[in-house]
């Protein structure tokens, strides 16, 4: 049975393995990603800092004591209203990665459901997530969960 719980210090090494797995996948999709080997404990520290600043947590999905996936949910991301939008707060799913061997078992959906539950409990009326345009599998998964396009960032290579 899959259990979803908050991150513990003992999750560090397995989570780092998942971070590197995600990075290896994304390096193939976007040429400005840092090399997989550069991803270290500093990245977990960065995630924890974001969680502290934006009222979030790192969620771990495990089965029989083995970490299979993780996600970060930030439940108080603030748009301060100083630019062209009114002031408001929203929730944001940061990283979401399921280990290759555990994919297609609904674990990502379980993590998204928990992220949504925590967002609602925090009083948010909007949940956001980002995905690389070339990551078609993740994009389809997020669409099937009910996410729709909000802002499309485009680029043009000038090489």
């Amino acid at each position: 049975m899959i259990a979803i719980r908050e991150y513990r210090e003992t999750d560090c090494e397995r989570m780092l393995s998942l971070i590197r797995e995600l990075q290896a996948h994304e390096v193939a999709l976007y040429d400005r990603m840092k090399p997989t080997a550069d991803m270290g404990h500093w990245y977990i520290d960065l995630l924890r800092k974001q969680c502290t600043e934006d009222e979030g947590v790192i969620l771990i999905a495990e089965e029989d004591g083995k970490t299979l996936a993780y996600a970060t949910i930030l439940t108080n991301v603030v748009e301060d209203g100083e630019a062209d939008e009114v002031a408001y707060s929203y929730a944001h799913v940061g990283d979401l990665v399921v280990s290759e061997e555990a994919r297609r078992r609904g674990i990502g959906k379980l993590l998204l459901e928990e992220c949504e539950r925590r967002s609602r409990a925090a009083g948010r009326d909007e949940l956001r997530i980002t995905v690389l345009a070339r990551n078609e599998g993740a994009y389809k998964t997020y669409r099937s969960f009910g996410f729709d396009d909000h802002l499309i960032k485009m680029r043009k290579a000038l090489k």
Side-chain angles (χ1 to χ4, degrees):
M1 180 172 172
I2 307 298
I4 307 292
R5 62 169 175 77
E6 292 187 17
Y7 171 86
R8 299 180 201 130
E9 290 298 321
T10 55
D11 297 316
C12 186
E13 292 308 313
R14 179 62 179 141
M15 190 172 150
L16 187 55
S17 172
L18 289 168
I19 289 165
R20 288 177 176 151
E21 187 175 326
L22 175 63
Q23 195 73 3
H25 176 71
E26 290 187 339
V27 160
L29 302 175
Y30 180 48
D31 62 353
R32 295 199 176 183
M33 299 297 291
K34 290 184 178 181
T36 302
D38 289 357
M39 302 306 289
H41 295 278
W42 65 267
Y43 189 75
I44 296 172
D45 294 340
L46 176 66
L47 294 177
R48 293 174 72 195
K49 180 180 181 225
Q50 289 173 339
C51 287
T52 298
E53 291 171 356
D54 295 324
E55 298 177 21
V57 295
I58 300 169
L59 298 172
I60 299 292
E62 70 177 3
E63 182 177 51
D64 299 325
K66 182 177 181 185
T67 300
L68 303 174
Y70 83 91
T72 58
I73 177 63
L74 308 174
T75 61
N76 191 31
V77 180
V78 175
E79 171 56 51
D80 63 13
E82 289 185 14
D84 61 346
E85 291 186 72
V86 298
Y88 63 96
S89 296
Y90 61 93
H92 179 77
V93 178
D95 287 10
L96 191 156
V97 59
V98 178
S99 65
E100 189 171 355
E101 78 265 10
R103 290 185 190 145
R104 298 187 216 327
R105 294 180 49 201
I107 297 168
K109 183 179 181 208
L110 289 173
L111 283 167
L112 286 171
E113 287 170 346
E114 181 61 14
C115 289
E116 183 174 331
R117 186 193 70 73
R118 287 173 183 255
S119 300
R120 289 180 187 279
R124 299 297 159 249
D125 63 4
E126 184 175 27
L127 178 60
R128 295 183 183 181
I129 195 166
T130 57
V131 61
L132 287 171
R134 293 182 55 208
N135 193 344
E136 295 172 9
Y139 180 81
K140 287 178 186 176
T141 297
Y142 303 154
R143 294 285 298 191
S144 72
F145 191 77
F147 287 96
D148 61 5
D149 294 344
H150 165 67
L151 175 69
I152 298 174
K153 184 184 271 188
M154 299 174 79
R155 72 181 185 136
K156 179 179 180 180
L158 301 177
K159 295 180 184 180

